[in-house]
Amino acid sequence: RSALHVAVSEGHLNVVERLVSDWSATLTLEDRFGNTPLDDAVRERRAEVAEFLVEARAARAARDVLLLERTKEACFLDI
């Protein structure tokens, strides 16, 4: 289990925020049981933590899409 898994399971939102925001913790990392941090949040009924994880994952996905679009544009620039 990662530090993120433990912080999520214990409901330490401030630690979860720090691990994700400052340390870029992997949101989809599975523990030995195949559970992600979001799985742990749901199982432990940590609603605020779960909400944060969903929003953080969406934000990362949006950044990935933007980066992909910019990369495609850059590949087709007439230099």
Side-chain angles (χ1 to χ4, degrees), residues 35-54:
N35 296 318
T36 65
L38 182 57
D39 295 329
D40 289 350
V42 171
R43 185 186 65 248
E44 298 295 331
R45 297 184 177 166
R46 308 290 187 189
E48 288 182 14
V49 174
E51 182 179 353
F52 173 79
L53 291 172
V54 169

Side-chain angles (χ1 to χ4, degrees), residues 3-4 7 10 21 23-24 27-29 34 37 39-42 47-48 50-51 53 55 62 64 76:
L4 182 58
E10 297 297 320
S21 300
W23 293 95
S24 299
L27 300 172
T28 56
L29 181 67
D39 295 329
D40 289 350
V42 171
E48 288 182 14
E51 182 179 353
L53 291 172
E55 290 173 0
D64 289 347
F76 294 105

Side-chain angles (χ1 to χ4, degrees), residues 6-34:
V6 174
V8 165
S9 293
E10 297 297 320
H12 298 299
L13 181 58
N14 59 333
V15 176
V16 171
E17 291 171 339
R18 185 103 193 245
L19 289 168
V20 172
S21 300
D22 296 346
W23 293 95
S24 299
T26 303
L27 300 172
T28 56
L29 181 67
E30 294 181 359
D31 64 13
R32 64 183 178 178
F33 305 108

